[in-house]
Amino acid sequence: MAHEGMIRAKVPRLLLISWLLFVLLLLLLLPVRSQHQSLQHSFPDESSVQFWAKQIGNELDKMMRKDIGLDTLKQLYKEKKYRFTLEENNAKMLVDKAAHAIENMLRKKEAALERLTRAAEELQEQHKWKDNIKETDVYYFNAKQNYKPQVFPHLQNLGDDEENGDDGRESSNTEEEQITPTFEEDHAFKQPINKNFTAVHIPTDIYNGSTIILNELNWTANLDKAFKMNRMNDTSLLWQVFGSATGLTRYYPAAEWQNKQNKVDLYDVRRRPWYVQGAASPKDMLILMDVSGSMSGMPLNLMKTSVENMLDTLADDDFVNIVFFNDTAETVGCFKNLVQANVRNKRELKNAVQKMTAKGVTNYTAGLQYAFNQLLDTKNISRANCNKMIMLFTDGGEDRARQVFKNNNTTVRVFTFSVGQHNYDISPIQWMACNNKGYFFEIPSIGAIRLNTQEYLDVLGRPMVLAGSGYKQVQWTNVYKDALGLGLVITGTLPVFNLSKEGGKQNQLILGVMGVDVSLDEVKRLTPQFRLGANGYFFAMDPNGYVLLHPNLLPKVPNFQEPVTLDFLDAELHHDKKVMIRKNMISGESGSETFETFIKSVDERYVDKAVRTYTWTTVNSTDYSLALAMPSYSTYHIKAKKKDEHSAAEDAESLLRSLSEPIGHVFIAPREFCKTVQKSENNTEFLLNFLAELQKNKPDSENCESDLVYNLLLDSSITTKLVETTWVNVDRQGIGIKALFVTTDSGITKVYPNSAAAEWDEALEPYNASTYKRSLNNNGSVYKPPYTPESSHDNFTGSVLASLAVEVTIDGKTLKPAVIGVQLDQEAWTTKFKFLATNQTGEAPARRMCGGLGSCEMDCEASVNELECVLLDDGGFLVLSNQDDHQDKIGKFFGVVNPGLMRALYSFYVYGIVTSYDFQSVCDPDTEPRTDAAPRGVHIPSIANLLNLAWWTSAAAWSVLQQLLYSLTFQAWLDPVPVMAASESNKEKMLCIMLQTQYFLNKNVTSFRKLQDCGNCSRFMHAEKIAHSNLLLLIAEKMTCNECDNRPLSQEEKLSEGPDQCLLAQEPRFRKGPEVCLDADNFQEDASDCGKGSMLQPSVFALFILPLFTLCLLGPAAPYIS
């Protein structure tokens, strides 16, 4: 019994213990539960949040579709249909027509080019060489006679000596003996020109008084007549240029050489993309660098600079690689085979070259065998398959590597370069060049680099001359920036041959290259620009896959030295079908494809997914292809009917009234409605100029684009009616808006009330306006807060824009002729947002009401301290918030405002991400001293800082001075003294690559609810898509711990090294090289002229007097500025 009593006593005790354990367990769980759902204040349930989202959506939809007159505007277009017709945009017909127009235009340029080439060859053949020609015997306009660079300010007085010529060199020419033309501004050339003369440009490092140059000036002077005749036959011709193999350039019409940046002129026509392409067939080049111990010091650095200059002579049709050798041989960088000589590959090679050091012994056999293996490797498919060559840089040696040449060489030219001043035997490397159809060069100093690294082109031109005119073929270049100020151009080129004979033998020399420029603006004018809508566009492509027309071709090229090479696959966001389209276009095929693709917004903050139809065809007689990308809503466009003079005047009056009367301020797109309308940065002034033109001439006059003018007048009439019938009656304060606006395809933007125009900062050209273009791409309303940089601490200013495309169906044809929208009142809509996302709204179920002893759901108004409620747009930018500390962050990327929540939205696939590279950006140069460029902190000066010295003395003296100056100053460069940074004013922008990131809402996710677990604490979050908009409602509990990943999530573009060029080189993109190859295999040339090994020996005067003169010039207070 006692035992039984003990058992009974234990039972209650066990129950008590169990109960206590249960309570303890609840207490342990309570902190987690209290974070996201207390008994009295629970997180809103799913139906509540969905109800709030519906309420917000309804209110926004009512504002956009009813309150601001969307239906009225649609009706106005239907009522005015008697004033216009709907024209169909048949994609295939448009592409074919534009391609045919481009073909005809280029054929006319080619005919002009052929006439010029024939004239040049005849003139040179008739010319009699003069050994004793003097500067007074030639008469020309020196394009640089007013060109006064300021590189070394403490030396400027040397150039101002009244007893010397403009170039600081004594000249027998008097001012009266030289042409001094007057210039008149020309719209087509974008600068003052003179059509009566040609202009001559001579590179800075070439003496313009040399016998060769004077003879060249003499016979090319007669080209003036051919240039002028061409201009008479085709008044649309722009620059006509002859680039001589001597470096001289003669161009028509005459214009002064531009020096906007006040720098030394480094222009040499032989390094321009069009000259390189026209002077020789494509090249497979292997650069072989001797890095044995004997090359250390100055020779190594001369060789590095020489190789960099050699790379600059290559164009996109060429292929290259670099191999270094001492005891053994290896490629300098990551490229194991020849790669295309494009900008990025050449930059990769240049960086690798600068890291090289000298050591070991010279083994020519190892180096040359490795070079031959690279060039003759048939497995390496990606190459030019033409003009194979080895460029050997060394200081000389005993080994001729005869066995290597005997075993390998049947098709490879060998060019050799003796680098530095030394006493080594140069006959072996001279033998290599002379026995392998190459040429031997000497580079004793930095002054010899530019000339001797480009003259190999003369040798490569021999087969072209021997082939004769029958093999001539006009080549059209890639896009590049014109040195004379036209902007982006393409150039047609033809080589000019020396037809004279020496000793009964055909001359092998190429005289130069003739070129005719075509501005990309001229090509664009041949494609319909304003009938496809803002999101339809033409683009063109060359055989390398580079675009020459594309709305995203917007290079910020800091100077004309870098070519403009934007691949089609880099111009648009990736899609597999675009890869196929690119290949088909390069291959000269025609076709059409329709698919959904990502499209980046103009401001590069957003991406939209939209359907596009791509239609493409070839441009006959050229290597170009043309394509059209078009959305379905651009199938039809409005074409206003011509009106009588009285009606047109009435419409024009509505434009004028908008400037003074309360019918909405009007902006017009800065288009060329009429050629005679004076352009102005002030849009009101531009509008007045346009109206003044209409008072003088009818819209259908020859000076005006009548379709553009009549469409503009039509939309002015319609939008004015919208204001007068609807907008004047809108209760802006009640709706919560500051202003209303409408933008039309014709170029009208109307803002109401007029006072709101002062804050309007959208692009006035709708085709360039991000809001307008995105509205057309989306079926619902698009909300866009003003951009606020992530690092900005300024208070929020501006207004959220809400816009909606106006979709009209007339006679069964659907189009989007306009976009209508509002500027939100931020304070009013913040209050409205919190009210709409609360338990006190509309007809919410009773359980959402707080009262009695029942539980109460948190809401966005009453629970501000516990609940974070925000509206985000589809790019993840903050639009509205219930948090006071968010009001100054409107427009910022939410990954910076609340990193933890944005990371959760991304990780749970509510938001997706698109990354791409912008290859067209420019950045400030790196001001840090370069430590890896050369041993012992060597700094190689830019040639610009030396070339301006060339004007101080005669050509012969300068040749000696170059070497002495280099020797003197290089010793200073070897000292471990930090290089002085350039001043801010002298910094030049450089090309760089930016990594861009855009977020987008996943269309498959309309509702999302999740418990975000952060270890010791967690929270509920719920995201709901707002119907008929690009907005997302996000409701989340505030986190009480910092366990979640709260690192800022940035959306801003970042400086990048770009994609891995080494990996890209392993799988190069499809391209097509020129079909014609003229190299040493095809013709028997005379290779006896292969270079000489003599070196200039300085005189006693040069050894003693010139160094002292140089020291006086430089002085102790003249540090080298990088």
Side-chain angles (χ1 to χ4, degrees):
M1 293 292 292
H3 180 68
E4 185 179 346
M6 290 178 63
I7 292 175
R8 288 173 180 170
K10 286 181 178 179
V11 171
R13 197 173 301 165
L14 288 172
L15 290 172
L16 178 62
I17 291 172
S18 299
W19 183 81
L20 288 173
L21 288 173
F22 176 72
V23 172
L24 180 61
L25 183 61
L26 286 176
L27 290 174
L28 289 172
L29 294 174
L30 188 60
V32 176
R33 181 175 177 81
S34 64
Q35 172 64 29
H36 59 74
Q37 186 170 335
S38 68
L39 289 175
Q40 295 300 318
H41 299 293
S42 63
F43 185 80
D45 64 25
E46 185 173 8
S47 60
S48 296
V49 179
Q50 290 175 344
F51 178 78
W52 298 347
K54 182 180 179 181
Q55 285 289 99
I56 295 170
N58 288 342
E59 192 71 16
L60 291 171
D61 214 38
K62 175 178 175 294
M63 173 184 69
M64 295 302 296
R65 296 182 183 273
K66 294 182 180 180
D67 294 340
I68 64 173
L70 174 65
D71 292 335
T72 302
L73 186 54
K74 289 182 179 181
Q75 188 59 36
L76 284 170
Y77 273 103
K78 291 178 181 179
E79 290 176 358
K80 297 282 186 178
K81 70 176 185 178
Y82 69 91
R83 289 190 53 182
F84 60 83
T85 58
L86 292 181
E87 303 287 321
E88 183 178 4
N89 288 322
N90 184 300
K92 187 178 187 311
M93 289 179 61
L94 289 174
V95 170
D96 288 343
K97 183 178 179 181
H100 185 64
I102 293 173
E103 176 192 354
N104 288 340
M105 182 267 290
L106 294 182
R107 277 184 174 174
K108 289 179 67 177
K109 311 302 181 189
E110 290 176 0
L113 192 56
E114 290 165 356
R115 289 193 295 269
L116 287 174
T117 304
R118 285 195 300 269
E121 291 172 345
E122 292 171 1
L123 288 170
Q124 196 280 333
E125 189 176 15
Q126 297 166 6
H127 174 255
K128 297 188 181 300
W129 178 268
K130 298 179 180 179
D131 288 323
N132 300 319
I133 192 170
K134 300 178 181 179
E135 289 185 74
T136 52
D137 297 332
V138 295
Y139 188 64
Y140 68 100
F141 167 59
N142 181 358
K144 295 195 296 182
Q145 67 181 17
N146 295 320
Y147 191 101
K148 295 182 179 180
Q150 295 184 14
V151 176
F152 298 126
H154 61 287
L155 300 177
Q156 288 303 303
N157 289 336
L158 287 171
D160 295 334
D161 192 342
E162 293 181 0
E163 296 180 3
N164 293 341
D166 287 339
D167 56 8
R169 194 188 284 120
E170 288 188 7
S171 173
S172 58
N173 286 44
T174 65
E175 189 172 322
E176 289 74 27
E177 291 175 325
Q178 289 300 309
I179 297 173
T180 54
T182 57
F183 301 98
E184 294 183 2
E185 191 70 36
D186 188 278
H187 173 72
F189 288 88
K190 303 179 181 179
Q191 62 183 293
I193 62 170
N194 185 300
K195 297 178 183 178
N196 294 319
F197 300 100
T198 57
V200 172
H201 174 280
I202 300 173
T204 306
D205 51 348
I206 293 179
Y207 178 40
N208 59 6
S210 69
T211 303
I212 294 176
I213 293 297
L214 292 177
N215 274 278
E216 196 86 359
L217 286 168
N218 194 17
W219 76 261
T220 59
N222 294 313
L223 283 172
D224 286 31
K225 183 178 179 181
F227 285 139
K228 293 175 184 178
M229 287 295 295
N230 263 346
R231 176 73 181 178
M232 290 177 62
N233 292 332
D234 181 5
T235 56
S236 68
L237 272 176
L238 297 174
W239 299 119
Q240 303 174 68
V241 187
F242 172 64
S244 169
T246 64
L248 177 147
T249 306
R250 187 180 286 273
Y251 59 91
Y252 177 86
E256 291 188 299
W257 198 253
Q258 298 185 1
N259 184 24
K260 294 179 180 178
Q261 295 182 335
N262 205 30
K263 294 184 178 181
V264 169
D265 171 39
L266 289 181
Y267 181 89
D268 189 318
V269 69
R270 295 166 295 182
R271 289 178 176 267
R272 299 299 291 141
W274 64 272
Y275 186 95
V276 171
Q277 181 169 310
S281 291
K283 301 173 280 294
D284 284 319
M285 179 184 289
L286 194 289
I287 300 175
L288 189 58
M289 301 177 65
D290 177 2
V291 292
S292 60
S294 63
M295 291 293 293
S296 62
M298 281 189 288
L300 179 64
N301 288 282
L302 279 174
M303 180 170 63
K304 289 179 178 181
T305 306
S306 299
V307 169
E308 287 195 1
N309 275 262
M310 179 69 71
L311 289 172
D312 289 337
T313 68
L314 301 178
D316 289 275
D317 286 333
D318 302 320
F319 281 72
V320 66
N321 202 3
I322 303 177
V323 171
F324 71 91
F325 73 98
N326 39 39
D327 310 73
T328 58
E330 185 56 74
T331 54
V332 298
C334 62
F335 300 139
K336 300 306 177 185
N337 297 298
L338 271 68
V339 295
Q340 186 183 11
N342 58 40
V343 174
R344 298 202 292 276
N345 284 341
K346 288 193 290 186
R347 188 177 297 134
E348 187 79 21
L349 287 170
K350 288 179 180 180
N351 291 337
V353 164
Q354 286 302 326
K355 297 176 183 177
M356 292 170 54
T357 57
K359 59 183 178 181
V361 297
T362 305
N363 185 345
Y364 283 124
T365 298
L368 287 166
Q369 186 59 60
Y370 197 102
F372 277 113
N373 291 344
Q374 286 262 311
L375 285 171
L376 301 178
D377 180 10
T378 57
K379 295 179 182 178
N380 183 13
I381 300 173
S382 181
R383 58 175 58 208
N385 291 315
C386 190
N387 274 319
K388 298 179 180 64
M389 67 193 71
I390 294 173
M391 320 299 278
L392 172 62
F393 289 85
T394 182
D395 55 359
E398 302 298 328
D399 185 12
R400 300 195 179 195
R402 293 178 184 270
Q403 192 61 40
V404 176
F405 291 108
K406 182 179 180 180
N407 294 341
N408 294 278
N409 201 15
T410 57
T411 60
V412 179
R413 292 184 187 269
V414 178
F415 294 86
T416 55
F417 300 81
S418 175
V419 182
Q421 300 182 37
H422 53 77
N423 295 317
Y424 299 121
D425 184 11
I426 59 173
S427 60
I429 59 174
Q430 189 174 4
W431 175 88
M432 293 179 191
C434 292
N435 283 271
N436 293 280
K437 296 183 179 180
Y439 207 91
F440 169 75
F441 298 94
E442 288 186 286
I443 303 179
S445 67
I446 197 169
I449 290 176
R450 273 168 59 92
L451 291 178
N452 289 341
T453 54
Q454 66 192 17
E455 290 194 343
Y456 74 94
L457 290 172
D458 292 345
V459 177
L460 297 189
R462 291 172 182 172
M464 299 177 68
V465 180
L466 294 174
S469 300
Y471 282 85
K472 278 190 182 182
Q473 188 177 46
V474 175
Q475 295 188 69
W476 288 97
T477 67
N478 301 331
V479 178
Y480 67 96
K481 188 176 181 182
D482 174 46
L484 292 169
L486 275 183
L488 298 182
V489 299
I490 56 174
T491 299
T493 66
L494 271 179
V496 180
F497 299 157
N498 188 335
L499 301 181
S500 62
K501 295 183 178 181
E502 295 180 3
K505 289 185 178 182
Q506 171 63 51
N507 197 302
Q508 298 181 129
L509 291 178
I510 182 173
L511 294 174
V513 177
M514 195 70 73
V516 172
D517 285 349
V518 175
S519 168
L520 289 195
D521 291 337
E522 186 176 358
V523 181
K524 286 178 184 177
R525 283 193 288 269
L526 300 177
T527 62
Q529 297 181 61
F530 298 111
R531 62 179 291 173
L532 304 174
N535 289 322
Y537 57 91
F538 279 90
F539 65 91
M541 193 184 303
D542 69 19
N544 282 301
Y546 301 141
V547 293
L548 57 141
L549 280 186
H550 198 285
N552 294 334
L553 180 63
L554 301 167
K556 311 173 187 72
V557 185
N559 57 59
F560 59 79
Q561 302 297 337
E562 293 275 13
V564 179
T565 52
L566 179 65
D567 196 285
F568 171 62
L569 299 182
D570 297 323
E572 301 194 359
L573 296 177
H574 178 77
H575 194 288
D576 288 341
K577 289 195 175 182
K578 293 180 182 179
V579 178
M580 178 270 293
I581 291 171
R582 178 184 180 276
K583 184 175 182 179
N584 287 352
M585 291 182 67
I586 292 173
S587 301
E589 299 175 9
S590 300
S592 181
E593 282 284 344
T594 300
F595 53 93
E596 188 176 49
T597 181
F598 278 116
I599 298 166
K600 191 184 299 184
S601 65
V602 174
D603 57 15
E604 299 178 331
R605 295 169 61 190
Y606 303 92
V607 289
D608 294 308
K609 212 165 190 180
V611 176
R612 292 289 184 269
T613 297
Y614 287 75
T615 307
W616 63 92
T617 191
T618 184
V619 179
N620 293 328
S621 303
T622 74
D623 291 326
Y624 298 132
S625 291
L626 185 69
L628 169 61
M630 197 171 70
S632 59
Y633 53 79
S634 290
T635 304
Y636 297 96
H637 72 279
I638 289 176
K639 181 178 180 180
K641 297 177 181 178
K642 294 184 179 181
K643 300 187 66 178
D644 59 75
E645 189 172 345
H646 176 71
S647 300
E650 286 183 347
D651 290 341
E653 185 183 355
S654 69
L655 286 171
L656 184 61
R657 286 171 53 210
S658 69
L659 299 178
S660 58
E661 298 181 21
I663 57 170
H665 184 89
V666 70
F667 299 99
I668 63 171
R671 300 175 184 174
E672 193 175 79
F673 295 101
C674 298
K675 295 178 183 178
T676 50
V677 174
Q678 186 175 352
K679 293 184 178 180
S680 173
E681 293 295 325
N682 184 297
N683 194 261
T684 299
E685 185 177 346
F686 176 61
L687 174 57
L688 291 172
N689 293 341
F690 170 70
L691 294 174
E693 176 64 26
L694 292 187
Q695 288 181 337
K696 292 187 295 183
N697 297 297
K698 295 180 181 180
D700 49 359
S701 69
E702 62 179 11
N703 289 326
C704 295
E705 294 287 342
S706 59
D707 288 347
L708 296 184
V709 175
Y710 282 120
N711 275 21
L712 187 79
L713 295 177
L714 170 66
D715 282 344
S716 173
S717 171
I718 290 175
T719 55
T720 299
K721 196 74 172 177
L722 173 67
V723 176
E724 293 175 337
T725 59
T726 304
W727 283 5
V728 293
N729 300 317
V730 172
D731 181 9
R732 299 196 303 276
Q733 186 174 357
I735 299 174
I737 59 177
K738 296 168 65 175
L740 303 92
F741 70 91
V742 62
T743 303
T744 71
D745 187 75
S746 67
I748 287 283
T749 296
K750 183 155 288 191
V751 181
Y752 181 84
N754 294 45
S755 58
E759 299 179 6
W760 187 255
D761 58 1
E762 287 289 297
L764 300 182
E765 172 51 74
Y767 285 35
N768 297 332
S770 181
T771 297
Y772 185 83
K773 292 168 70 73
R774 291 203 68 217
S775 299
L776 298 178
N777 279 332
N778 288 270
N779 293 325
S781 300
V782 174
Y783 295 82
K784 188 189 81 169
Y787 175 64
T788 304
E790 294 174 3
S791 58
S792 173
H793 298 289
D794 298 334
N795 292 336
F796 168 76
T797 57
S799 302
V800 173
L801 282 186
S803 57
L804 180 63
V806 180
E807 187 173 278
V808 183
T809 300
I810 301 174
D811 298 333
K813 302 170 183 177
T814 301
L815 67 159
K816 297 181 179 180
V819 167
I820 194 170
V822 298
Q823 284 183 330
L824 297 184
D825 184 319
Q826 200 68 25
E827 184 177 348
W829 265 97
T830 299
T831 301
K832 188 176 291 192
F833 165 63
K834 289 191 288 186
F835 177 76
L836 293 171
T838 183
N839 293 329
Q840 308 299 321
T841 57
E843 300 176 356
R847 60 186 176 82
R848 295 192 179 89
M849 304 296 292
C850 294
L853 299 176
S855 65
C856 176
E857 287 183 338
M858 292 186 287
D859 63 42
C860 296
E861 184 176 47
S863 309
V864 173
N865 295 328
E866 296 85 17
L867 207 61
E868 190 168 328
C869 306
V870 296
L871 275 182
L872 304 178
D873 69 13
D874 56 330
F877 294 94
L878 184 61
V879 177
L880 290 173
S881 174
N882 73 333
Q883 301 295 304
D884 289 341
D885 61 341
H886 284 178
Q887 301 312 309
D888 289 338
K889 300 174 183 177
I890 301 299
K892 280 195 174 183
F893 181 61
F894 198 58
V896 175
V897 178
N898 192 325
L901 274 178
M902 192 65 200
R903 286 182 181 276
L905 292 173
Y906 174 61
S907 62
F908 293 136
Y909 304 104
V910 177
Y911 277 93
I913 190 173
V914 171
T915 58
S916 59
Y917 294 103
D918 179 6
F919 294 101
Q920 303 178 89
S921 292
V922 292
C923 307
D924 291 322
D926 184 5
T927 56
E928 293 297 319
R930 292 179 63 179
T931 57
D932 62 345
R936 293 178 288 175
V938 175
H939 183 91
I940 305 255
S942 66
I943 297 177
N945 298 108
L946 295 179
L947 290 184
N948 67 329
L949 301 176
W951 299 116
W952 298 349
T953 179
S954 69
W958 169 233
S959 180
V960 179
L961 180 61
Q962 285 178 350
Q963 300 180 43
L964 294 169
L965 177 63
Y966 181 77
S967 301
L968 289 167
T969 55
F970 202 85
Q971 185 61 45
W973 299 329
L974 291 174
D975 295 338
V977 180
V979 180
M980 294 181 61
S983 66
E984 291 294 325
S985 60
N986 289 330
K987 285 183 180 178
E988 184 173 298
K989 296 285 186 180
M990 58 183 290
L991 287 171
C992 60
I993 302 172
M994 304 299 288
L995 176 64
Q996 294 185 341
T997 303
Q998 289 88 21
Y999 287 77
F1000 64 92
L1001 274 176
N1002 190 335
K1003 290 185 177 180
N1004 296 324
V1005 179
T1006 57
S1007 184
F1008 168 82
R1009 190 176 181 89
K1010 199 77 174 180
L1011 175 66
Q1012 186 185 16
D1013 188 358
C1014 295
N1016 291 333
C1017 58
S1018 60
R1019 63 176 167 195
F1020 269 126
M1021 57 186 297
H1022 187 127
E1024 197 73 26
K1025 183 84 165 56
I1026 303 296
H1028 311 301
S1029 77
N1030 68 326
L1031 296 176
L1032 180 77
L1033 172 63
L1034 175 63
I1035 310 294
E1037 290 180 296
K1038 288 189 174 181
M1039 189 67 79
T1040 58
C1041 68
N1042 294 319
E1043 298 296 325
C1044 283
D1045 188 353
N1046 283 310
R1047 292 171 299 158
L1049 190 64
S1050 178
Q1051 188 265 352
E1052 291 186 340
E1053 65 177 12
K1054 298 178 178 65
L1055 187 64
S1056 170
E1057 294 183 357
D1060 191 331
Q1061 288 299 120
C1062 305
L1063 294 177
L1064 291 178
Q1066 295 174 16
E1067 296 184 7
R1069 289 170 173 169
F1070 179 79
R1071 64 176 294 277
K1072 186 175 72 174
E1075 296 178 356
V1076 177
C1077 172
L1078 298 174
D1079 62 11
D1081 294 345
N1082 301 318
F1083 302 94
Q1084 189 63 40
E1085 65 182 72
D1086 179 6
S1088 59
D1089 181 12
C1090 56
K1092 296 181 180 180
S1094 63
M1095 293 180 62
L1096 177 64
Q1097 299 296 323
S1099 65
V1100 174
F1101 170 80
L1103 282 172
F1104 294 101
I1105 305 301
L1106 279 178
L1108 293 175
F1109 175 65
T1110 304
L1111 288 173
C1112 293
L1113 288 176
L1114 294 178
Y1120 177 74
I1121 305 298
S1122 66

